[in-house]
Amino acid sequence: MRQVQRARQKVFVDFSGKRPHLVDRKSGEGIDVELFVAVLGASSYTYAEAVPSQQLAHWISAHVRMLEFLGGCPQILVPDNLKSGIQTPCRYEPVPNRTYDELAVHYGAVVIPARSYKARDKAKVEVGVQVAQRWVLAVLRNRTFFSLAEMNEAIGEKLADLNSRPMKHLGASRRELFERLDRPALRPLPPNRFEMADWKNCGVNIDYHIDVDHNYYSVPHQLVGERVDARATASTVEIFFKSRRIASHVRLTGRGRYATLAEHMPASHRAHAEWSPSRLISWAEKTGPATGRIVAEILRARTHPEQGYRSCLGIIRLARRHGPSRVEAACARAEHLRAPSYKTVMNILAAGFDALPFDEPAEAPTTLPAHDNIRGAGYYREEDGC
């Protein structure tokens, strides 16, 4: 069946079977790379570039540069059934890769892959690949390239010649047909360039965090044990539960770091996270100034203030059982005894000593009392003649 290609309708994309290669500048070893080729249906206008591999990131970035090269968006992207583009190949209901589908939506297009093992479904790009191999790769076969940038600069030069070359059966070049047919019909590019995003299905751990590239991001604690989807770009990590976004974090660098939002924590965890020396002293001072001073002294006496957190909370919570006034009096007595600790305050309250007045110390005697056993200093003087 003869296929009629309409302006701006389809762009066919594929990788070349023949691969160009770079040379490692240090070792001199050859490094095979991939040649990405795209061909517009109506004009056969061709784009090609070398990419490191067929992995998703390189597949997506090649599409972004291809659309910018065209200066507009077609309606349909027609790839082969490679894994980077199509998650589930199927003759009737193929499922595109989620990131690839996002790219298509961003540019106002859809993904309709060719049928598996049906090269005639994408004959345009099959021919385009052959043309690129003959007029680009074959021409550059004797040149040595040490980087992708250097190779793509040379490919761009040959590509310009290819698109400007008249096609005998049509009597016009690909560029002329593109300017006449496709360019006026292409949808304008969106103002923002597509940002690559990786999707990952994650389980929510008991600490209400998920693992994305060895860093950990919080979700609402009610979702512990559930499965969520994480969408990670270079700058953000968005988390979705049943297609609804439930959290967004700035993406962390390195490994083993945590991003935790307070609203995701249970109330008990949130209260613990708010503990700090100044906050504990402030809480204690609500009971009374002596209680605040005892708490401050406990924190100051520890090597690390966190060692005294439980003791301080214990003193503050004694007010629930005994009342603020009794705890304040007990802390005042503990301060008087120079024994600032939870146990001291608790024992004073248990014995009821908080209600007793402080004992004033008796004045020290200035002279010794008279007593037969006290000889005095004169007893030790040497007698005459001894």
Side-chain angles (χ1 to χ4, degrees):
M1 175 181 172
R2 178 174 295 279
Q3 297 185 29
V4 178
Q5 302 293 342
R6 293 193 292 272
R8 86 149 186 178
Q9 185 182 35
K10 293 180 180 180
V11 61
F12 300 85
V13 293
D14 202 0
F15 283 109
S16 167
K18 294 181 179 180
R19 298 188 292 176
H21 67 273
L22 304 174
V23 174
D24 188 285
R25 194 179 295 272
K26 293 182 179 179
S27 66
E29 296 180 359
I31 304 171
D32 288 334
V33 295
E34 300 286 346
L35 184 68
F36 173 85
V37 180
V39 179
L40 277 171
S43 63
S44 296
Y45 194 59
T46 302
Y47 173 78
E49 72 163 282
V51 294
S53 71
Q54 294 188 17
Q55 292 180 3
L56 179 63
H58 303 140
W59 171 255
I60 295 296
S61 60
H63 274 74
V64 172
R65 290 188 288 270
M66 175 265 293
L67 293 170
E68 291 174 351
F69 173 82
L70 299 178
C73 309
Q75 294 175 332
I76 302 172
L77 303 175
V78 185
D80 202 347
N81 284 272
L82 77 168
K83 191 173 182 180
S84 297
I86 306 302
Q87 179 178 320
T88 307
C90 178
R91 181 185 180 93
Y92 302 105
E93 290 185 347
V95 179
N97 178 286
R98 195 164 185 175
T99 304
Y100 191 34
D101 195 45
E102 276 193 337
L103 174 135
V105 171
H106 180 80
Y107 289 104
V110 295
V111 177
I112 304 179
R115 293 174 296 172
S116 299
Y117 307 109
K118 301 294 183 181
R120 61 178 176 268
D121 285 5
K122 52 184 180 62
K124 278 280 184 179
V125 75
E126 294 292 332
V127 174
V129 165
Q130 293 179 0
V131 170
Q133 290 172 350
R134 293 170 185 169
W135 295 99
V136 178
L137 293 186
V139 174
L140 300 175
R141 66 185 181 278
N142 294 324
R143 290 184 58 178
T144 301
F145 299 100
F146 298 100
S147 69
L148 276 176
E150 184 183 353
M151 177 179 284
N152 281 324
E153 184 178 356
I155 289 174
E157 294 172 359
K158 300 305 176 185
L159 199 61
D161 295 339
L162 170 64
N163 284 321
S164 299
R165 189 186 307 275
M167 293 182 288
K168 293 181 180 179
H169 63 290
L170 292 177
S173 69
R174 292 173 175 81
R175 184 177 299 280
E176 290 173 352
L177 293 176
F178 172 71
E179 296 293 345
R180 186 194 318 160
L181 301 175
D182 283 317
R183 184 186 285 280
L186 288 174
R187 181 180 293 122
L189 292 172
N192 299 321
R193 197 182 202 197
F194 177 73
E195 186 176 13
M196 168 76 182
D198 290 323
W199 285 89
K200 180 182 179 183
N201 187 258
C202 307
V204 181
N205 203 354
I206 58 172
D207 65 352
Y208 48 89
H209 286 72
I210 63 169
D211 178 359
V212 178
D213 288 341
H214 307 290
N215 287 312
Y216 304 93
Y217 303 86
S218 68
V219 301
H221 67 91
Q222 295 89 347
L223 297 179
V224 167
E226 299 283 358
R227 304 292 300 184
V228 297
D229 293 315
R231 180 180 183 271
T233 68
S235 58
T236 60
V237 173
E238 297 175 291
I239 305 168
F240 296 81
F241 179 64
K242 295 182 179 179
S243 301
R244 182 174 64 88
R245 193 174 81 163
I246 56 172
S248 179
H249 299 272
V250 175
R251 188 162 187 176
L252 301 174
T253 57
R255 296 166 69 102
R257 300 178 62 192
Y258 283 80
T260 306
L261 299 180
E263 56 266 30
H264 293 164
M265 305 169 73
S268 58
H269 291 197
R270 196 180 308 127
H272 184 273
E274 292 173 352
W275 293 358
S276 66
S278 59
R279 193 171 186 88
L280 287 171
I281 294 170
S282 177
W283 287 345
E285 287 176 343
K286 293 178 182 178
T287 301
T291 308
R293 290 193 297 270
I294 287 290
V295 165
E297 184 58 34
I298 291 173
L299 296 173
R300 187 163 44 249
R302 299 299 195 274
T303 303
H304 192 284
E306 195 165 332
Q307 292 176 307
Y309 281 6
R310 292 188 181 182
S311 298
C312 297
L313 284 173
I315 292 174
I316 295 170
R317 287 170 181 169
L318 285 172
R320 298 179 184 176
R321 191 189 320 165
H322 301 284
S325 59
R326 287 197 63 192
V327 171
E328 173 66 9
C331 287
R333 180 167 291 275
E335 187 179 24
H336 178 74
L337 297 174
R338 298 181 182 177
S341 70
Y342 167 75
K343 287 186 177 180
T344 301
V345 176
M346 182 183 66
N347 291 335
I348 291 172
L349 290 168
F353 290 162
D354 55 292
L356 299 179
F358 296 155
D359 293 331
E360 295 295 334
E363 294 185 2
T366 55
T367 58
L368 293 174
H371 195 278
D372 294 339
N373 292 334
I374 299 177
R375 300 181 178 91
Y379 179 81
Y380 296 97
R381 291 183 301 181
E382 294 182 0
E383 296 182 2
D384 296 336
C386 294

